[in-house]
């Protein structure tokens, strides 16, 4: 068992997975994407993808962690041996580690903005400010590499501290304090939004479905968001799954994670849009929704500075509980593979991701244009890193689905899942066909817009499909 231990309680995996899933994706990205894509129709596609694709892959990824009881890379290596599949599937672990590293690098920078706004709110600096002042303030933050680097450093160091203290003393104890506090704050902000804002307008914006409103781009973003928000396809869930109690139900836990994550996104959306509509502001502000529109709404409301401050503390906590799950898979790998101590492993991962994060910092100011990234890829370093993760995450999810559904010895998978044969058959149908089809659809529509990626991506898809078929033939009696 390579020294791997297990969470203290049967329910800790649920807590940890919710901590990973609920993050900037729910509080920052989901509301602004919904705002840009016209509301209800976007949410419909998002929810459908979560249920048909997200949950089955979430089950698969957790299962890979729990059966191997190792960090993602070592775990995949182990499974390819014990199930006698191609070694190439180990790339799932490497791809996951690469994505975790890339996501952490920019996630920490954006979480740093929330740190800045917590400070601004609690000191009352924005009380009564007008739209121009607030948007100038945000632009000034983006223009300052020094400020952004400072916040980025603080945030990533905080995350490193928690992971460095180990899965029990650090991650578990941290989550046990943070998560309940986050839910309380979320409810407080919702109630505040209902009292001071326009919850009717928010609800009809979020829950009125008109599928015709949705562009193809919106479809893709909804599906991409459902992967991002569940932390899928990159080993974070696998790493946490490795510590999951064998008594806990994989299927029920995964459904609970997806349910809570979706509920948090909806409540956050409801609260944020109540405030935005209540203040007569626009929904389609993009990434600035949380950092410009929302502070403006708080600026003129009773106790706005206090509630706004508390809201940004919520954002910070949610980001922190996610970022620790980005560090864990890589740190666990370094400990297992190179016999490092946990603090050493965490330091290596975090220092590297911190340095990489500087690329995101400068993408908003000194390197905003005219860099090698612009000439090669037509976008800033930050946008390029984001694009890479948007490719890696679904690709990882796709490979996890294929590996679990086709390559593994199915009788053992069935034992590990421990569900009724009907549910097992449903799950397997979803990971074998529906998931891969949905992800390929997202790829094929996104990638051609980015010249140069088409061939490698299609190539890897074909290689992966070939594996799947190869594995199928190898286990002549797969069920
Ligand atoms: N789910 C996180 C959020 O919604 C973001 C995320 C994506 C993530 N992949 C992850 C977090 C992997 C931790 C691990 O903010």
């Amino acid at each position: 068992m390579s020294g791997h231990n297990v969470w203290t309680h049967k329910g800790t995996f649920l807590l940890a997975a919710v901590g990973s899933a609920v993050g900037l994706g729910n509080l920052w990205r989901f509301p602004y994407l919904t705002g840009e894509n016209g509301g209800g129709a976007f949410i419909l596609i998002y929810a459908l993808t979560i249920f048909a694709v997200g949950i089955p892959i979430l089950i698969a990824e957790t299962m890979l962690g729990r059966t191997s009881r190792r960090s993602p890379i070592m775990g995949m290596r182990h499974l390819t041996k014990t199930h006698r599949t191609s070694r190439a599937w180990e790339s799932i672990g490497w791809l996951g580690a690469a994505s975790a590293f890339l996501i952490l690098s920019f996630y920490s920078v954006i979480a740093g903005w929330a740190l800045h706004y917590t400070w601004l709110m609690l000191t009352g600096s924005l009380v009564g400010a007008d739209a121009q002042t607030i948007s100038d303030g945000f632009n000034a933050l983006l223009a300052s590499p020094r400020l952004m680097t400072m916040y980025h450093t603080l945030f990533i160091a905080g995350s490193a501290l928690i992971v460095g203290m180990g899965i029990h003393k650090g991650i578990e104890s941290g989550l046990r304090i943070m998560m309940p506090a986050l839910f309380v704050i979320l409810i407080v902000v919702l109630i505040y939004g209902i009292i001071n804002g326009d919850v009717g307008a928010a609800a009809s914006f979020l829950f009125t479905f008109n599928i015709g409103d949705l562009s193809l781009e919106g479809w893709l973003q909804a599906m991409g968001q459902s992967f991002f928000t569940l932390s899928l396809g990159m080993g974070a869930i696998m790493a946490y799954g490795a510590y999951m109690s064998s008594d806990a139900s994989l299927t029920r836990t995964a459904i609970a994670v997806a349910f809570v994550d979706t509920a948090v996104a909806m409540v956050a959306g409801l609260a944020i849009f109540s405030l935005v509509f209540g203040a007569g502001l626009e929904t389609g502000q993009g990434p600035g929704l949380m950092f410009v529109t929302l502070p403006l709404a708080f600026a003129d409301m009773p106790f706005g500075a206090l509630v706004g401050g508390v809201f940004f503390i919520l954002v910070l906590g949610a980001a922190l509980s996610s970022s620790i799950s980005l560090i864990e898979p890589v740190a666990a790998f370094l400990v297992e593979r190179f016999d490092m101590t946990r603090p050493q492993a965490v330091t290596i991962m975090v220092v590297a991701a911190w340095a990489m994060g500087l690329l995101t910092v400068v993408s908003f100011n000194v390197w905003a244009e005219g860099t090698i990234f612009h000439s090669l890829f037509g976008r800033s370093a930050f946008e390029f890193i984001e694009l890479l993760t948007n490719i890696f995450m679904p690709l990882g999810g796709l490979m996890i689905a294929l590996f679990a559904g086709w390559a593994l010895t199915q009788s053992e998978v069935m034992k590990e899942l421990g569900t009724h044969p009907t549910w097992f058959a449903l799950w397997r149908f979803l990971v074998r066909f529906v998931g891969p089809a949905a992800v390929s659809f997202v790829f094929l529509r996104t990638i051609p817009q980015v010249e140069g990626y088409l061939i490698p991506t299609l190539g890897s898809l074909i290689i992966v499909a070939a594996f799947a078929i190869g594995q199928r033939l190898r286990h002549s009696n797969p069920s």
Side-chain angles (χ1 to χ4, degrees):
M1 291 257 288
S2 69
H4 245 73
N5 37 20
V6 174
W7 300 117
T8 317
H9 299 283
K10 193 171 147 185
T12 311
F13 172 80
L14 178 62
L15 181 75
V18 167
S20 173
V22 171
L24 295 174
N26 306 59
L27 302 173
W28 168 66
R29 208 164 181 252
F30 171 78
Y32 91 69
L33 286 178
T34 308
E36 282 183 330
N37 289 291
F42 178 86
I43 292 187
L44 184 64
I45 301 303
Y46 164 84
L48 282 179
T49 318
I50 294 235
F51 283 92
V53 183
I55 292 179
I57 296 183
L58 187 59
I59 293 173
E61 189 170 339
T62 315
M63 180 211 34
L64 295 183
R66 193 172 76 173
T67 44
S68 69
R69 291 255 177 252
R70 284 165 172 79
S71 68
I73 295 173
M74 304 304 278
M76 286 305 302
R77 184 172 297 174
H78 175 73
L79 290 176
T80 60
K81 285 195 197 123
T82 50
H83 288 253
R84 282 183 287 117
T85 74
S86 158
R87 268 283 301 265
W89 290 108
E90 196 185 309
S91 53
I92 292 176
W94 291 102
L95 195 67
S99 324
F101 171 73
L102 292 173
I103 293 187
L104 179 62
S105 78
F106 71 79
Y107 206 79
S108 165
V109 175
I110 294 170
W113 300 350
L115 204 53
H116 181 67
Y117 277 85
T118 309
W119 173 252
L120 287 186
M121 285 288 174
L122 291 181
T123 53
S125 317
L126 298 180
V127 176
D130 60 9
Q132 193 59 43
T133 313
I134 290 185
S135 88
D136 287 350
F138 185 53
N139 291 333
L141 172 66
L142 296 186
S144 165
R146 213 178 53 88
L147 261 188
M148 285 213 309
T149 304
M150 180 184 86
Y151 290 122
H152 165 50
T153 310
L154 281 175
F155 180 84
I156 210 165
S159 318
L161 211 62
I162 297 178
V163 185
M165 293 192 328
I167 70 163
H168 300 297
K169 277 212 206 94
I171 299 181
E172 274 196 57
S173 329
L175 290 172
R176 208 160 281 135
I177 302 167
M178 266 192 289
M179 298 312 289
L182 297 186
F183 289 108
V184 172
I185 297 178
L186 188 60
I187 299 304
V188 169
V189 176
L190 177 66
I191 293 172
Y192 180 84
I194 293 174
I195 295 172
N196 292 287
D198 187 346
V199 71
S204 73
F205 177 67
L206 291 176
F207 304 121
T208 314
F209 303 122
N210 180 5
I211 215 68
D213 292 347
L214 202 58
S215 61
L216 180 65
E217 185 57 23
W219 268 79
L220 300 174
Q221 287 186 333
M223 296 181 71
Q225 171 62 9
S226 62
F227 267 86
F228 187 80
T229 193
L230 291 179
S231 304
L232 283 183
M234 46 178 306
I237 293 295
M238 220 189 284
Y240 277 178
Y243 311 132
M244 184 184 189
S245 153
S246 306
D247 303 333
S249 157
L250 280 172
T251 43
R252 245 176 287 154
T253 309
I255 292 171
V257 172
F259 182 81
V260 176
D261 183 72
T262 307
V264 170
M266 299 297 160
V267 171
L270 213 49
I272 290 173
F273 287 117
S274 292
L275 294 169
V276 170
F277 284 123
L281 300 169
E282 296 292 320
T283 58
Q285 294 304 302
L289 180 68
M290 174 180 286
F291 298 106
V292 178
T293 313
L294 203 57
L296 187 56
F298 279 124
D300 276 331
M301 286 181 185
F303 306 106
L306 179 64
V307 179
V310 169
F311 173 80
F312 279 104
I313 290 177
L314 164 71
V315 175
L316 267 181
L320 193 60
S321 66
S322 298
S323 75
I324 57 182
S325 77
L326 288 162
I327 301 175
E328 180 59 27
V330 179
F333 166 70
L334 294 175
V335 169
E336 257 177 56
R337 176 71 182 74
F338 301 107
D339 255 331
M340 290 183 191
T341 65
R342 180 168 267 272
Q344 283 170 338
V346 170
T347 307
I348 291 181
M349 163 67 173
V350 164
V351 169
W354 176 83
M356 183 87 184
L358 296 180
L359 277 181
T360 294
V361 168
V362 294
S363 293
F364 291 96
N365 35 69
V366 287
W367 279 16
E369 49 202 32
T371 68
I372 184 166
F373 291 96
H374 292 88
S375 40
L376 284 182
F377 309 110
R379 56 193 73 221
S380 70
F382 163 63
E383 287 162 335
F384 178 68
I385 293 171
E386 217 198 356
L387 174 75
L388 275 187
T389 60
N390 284 342
I391 296 175
F392 286 0
M393 242 187 305
L395 190 62
L398 171 67
M399 289 174 64
I400 287 169
L402 292 174
F403 183 68
W406 295 102
L408 289 179
T409 315
Q410 295 297 304
S411 53
E412 288 190 28
V413 173
M414 191 168 170
K415 231 187 287 159
E416 184 71 36
L417 288 191
T419 47
H420 190 273
T422 316
W423 289 115
F424 177 71
L426 174 64
W427 171 79
R428 202 170 62 171
F429 174 72
L430 292 171
V431 288
R432 279 190 166 180
F433 302 105
V434 179
V439 178
S440 309
F441 166 74
V442 174
F443 267 131
L444 294 179
R445 303 302 315 202
T446 331
I447 305 309
Q449 298 160 4
V450 189
E451 323 87 276
Y453 288 99
L454 184 57
I455 310 253
T457 310
L458 280 181
S460 40
L461 276 178
I462 291 166
I463 294 170
V464 165
F467 277 136
I469 294 163
Q471 300 300 331
R472 173 83 179 132
L473 295 178
R474 182 182 211 126
H475 295 290
S476 44
N477 186 9
S479 12

